[in-house]
Amino acid sequence: MAHLFNRNVLLGVSGGIAAYKSAELIRQLQERGASVRVIMTHGAQEFITPLTLQVLSGNPVHTELLDEQAELGMGHIELARWADVLLIAPATADLIARLSAGRADDLLSTVALATAAPLLLAPAMNQQMWKNPATTANIDTLVKRGAQIVGPAAGQQACGDVGPGRMEEPPFIADTVASLFETGQLAGKRVVI
């Protein structure tokens, strides 16, 4: 199993049915040693509660752009600086489009613009939405800007369709996050202390 010891993973959860997988994703990231904080869009809160993700992560869940409780009232900057990686899972077609356009109209999209951390997206949407040329162009734009994409997987979807668009499974996503930090510098070396 890949490791994320001493790594800060900021998990963005957007509003798709795959949001339910974010609970297991938090566990997978923590099992690899990561500290996890969560940002949820309003749509995500329709699928899974902030309380669930707060209990699992051990940290308050962030939902609002303007946070009076945040130091200096700039929670988005605090979160952006804290993150070693910004993982958005699920990344819906809408969120991908907003990120591609450079919009900052909620906490998650604002943090995505404000962070210097790597951006990793785990798309989740209907297979036809995934195949749409607009989505393809948006993904291409984000990849050109340095974002990395994990998935989507193909298979049965909540709507009954079959095809690409399912969010990858949490263990695979967590391993992909860990691979971002593996340098291989000690591969094949023995260390005696």
Side-chain angles (χ1 to χ4, degrees), residues 86-100:
L86 173 56
L87 166 62
I88 303 178
T92 61
D94 175 65
L95 183 66
I96 289 168
R98 289 189 293 124
L99 293 174
S100 176

Side-chain angles (χ1 to χ4, degrees), residues 2-4 29 32 120 173-182:
H3 298 286
L4 286 165
L29 293 165
R32 288 160 177 76
L120 179 63
I173 295 170
D175 284 342
T176 302
V177 172
S179 74
L180 297 176
F181 300 104
E182 293 177 357

Side-chain angles (χ1 to χ4, degrees), residues 145-169:
R145 292 182 192 154
Q148 296 183 51
I149 311 299
V150 56
Q156 184 75 29
Q157 298 179 335
C159 63
D161 285 359
V162 176
R166 290 175 51 98
M167 188 172 98
E168 284 286 357
E169 293 304 317

Side-chain angles (χ1 to χ4, degrees), residues 3-66:
H3 298 286
L4 286 165
F5 297 117
N6 300 316
R7 298 295 181 179
N8 295 329
V9 178
L10 186 55
L11 174 61
V13 182
S14 64
I17 185 61
Y20 81 91
K21 292 183 179 183
S22 59
E24 177 60 20
L25 183 53
I26 290 169
R27 287 200 181 272
Q28 291 290 325
L29 293 165
Q30 289 174 329
E31 285 179 7
R32 288 160 177 76
S35 177
V36 180
R37 292 187 185 173
V38 179
I39 296 172
M40 295 180 77
T41 66
H42 289 223
Q45 295 172 65
E46 297 294 324
F47 291 98
I48 188 168
T49 68
L51 180 59
T52 299
L53 301 187
Q54 177 177 311
V55 169
L56 291 172
S57 70
N59 290 302
V61 171
H62 305 275
T63 59
E64 298 300 326
L65 180 57
L66 302 175

Side-chain angles (χ1 to χ4, degrees), residues 83-183:
D84 290 321
V85 62
L86 173 56
L87 166 62
I88 303 178
T92 61
D94 175 65
L95 183 66
I96 289 168
R98 289 189 293 124
L99 293 174
S100 176
R103 300 223 0 227
D105 53 3
D106 67 359
L107 179 59
L108 184 52
S109 59
T110 300
V111 169
L113 283 178
T115 191
L119 175 62
L120 179 63
L121 302 170
M125 63 196 73
N126 168 270
Q127 55 89 24
Q128 193 58 48
M129 293 171 76
W130 175 251
K131 294 175 187 174
N132 190 290
T135 302
T136 302
N138 290 334
I139 289 288
D140 290 346
T141 296
L142 291 170
V143 167
K144 286 176 187 168
R145 292 182 192 154
Q148 296 183 51
I149 311 299
V150 56
Q156 184 75 29
Q157 298 179 335
C159 63
D161 285 359
V162 176
R166 290 175 51 98
M167 188 172 98
E168 284 286 357
E169 293 304 317
F172 185 81
I173 295 170
D175 284 342
T176 302
V177 172
S179 74
L180 297 176
F181 300 104
E182 293 177 357
T183 62

